[in-house]
Amino acid sequence: QVQVVESGGGLVQPGGSLTLSCAASGGIFSADVWGWYRQVPGKQRSLVASVTSGGTTDYEDSARGRFTISRNNAKNTMTLQMDSLKPDDTAVYYCNVRRRYIPTYNYWGQGTQVTVSA
């Protein structure tokens, strides 16, 4: 059974840094897109950053220049380095692993809380 597990969330002061990690296990087959999403109460989950199997990255405008996404295809892991954090970055962050080609799949982690506060 596939498991997607995030780690690394926590409380950080404005201007600080955090690194989120995601690991997928249980037989993930050639995921082609890994992504980080975040959600705050009352709002929809939204994409923060994504990376394809070929290394192409995409960032939400507010994250570009402050966050860096990376993945290790061989180990089925992904990280999100978050620098210059702002209170608006406070959210639950979710890891997403999906494959757009047959056999398709779309897996989510349970989420990890990031709180940016003085």
Side-chain angles (χ1 to χ4, degrees):
Q1 183 174 354
V2 173
Q3 283 191 317
V4 178
V5 179
E6 304 99 336
S7 61
L11 173 64
V12 64
Q13 291 186 343
S17 299
L18 275 178
T19 301
L20 303 184
S21 298
C22 175
S25 61
I28 285 281
F29 174 74
S30 298
D32 69 315
V33 183
W34 290 63
W36 286 101
Y37 291 72
R38 61 187 176 190
Q39 188 171 24
V40 297
K43 293 190 177 181
Q44 288 189 335
R45 194 173 298 185
S46 63
L47 178 68
V48 177
S50 65
V51 58
T52 68
S53 57
T56 300
T57 58
D58 187 31
Y59 294 92
E60 177 193 33
D61 287 346
S62 68
R64 190 172 291 112
R66 298 188 298 126
F67 294 2
T68 304
I69 190 170
S70 62
R71 64 182 280 184
N72 184 317
N73 293 334
K75 294 184 177 181
N76 282 330
T77 58
M78 172 178 65
T79 62
L80 184 69
Q81 175 65 41
M82 304 187 293
D83 299 317
S84 303
L85 283 162
K86 306 174 182 179
D88 284 350
D89 295 317
T90 296
V92 178
Y93 284 70
Y94 295 90
C95 175
N96 176 258
V97 182
R98 63 189 174 100
R99 178 176 167 83
R100 296 170 292 181
Y101 312 104
I102 293 174
T104 62
Y105 53 76
N106 188 23
Y107 297 115
W108 292 92
Q110 80 288 350
T112 185
Q113 177 70 46
V114 172
T115 303
V116 184
S117 175

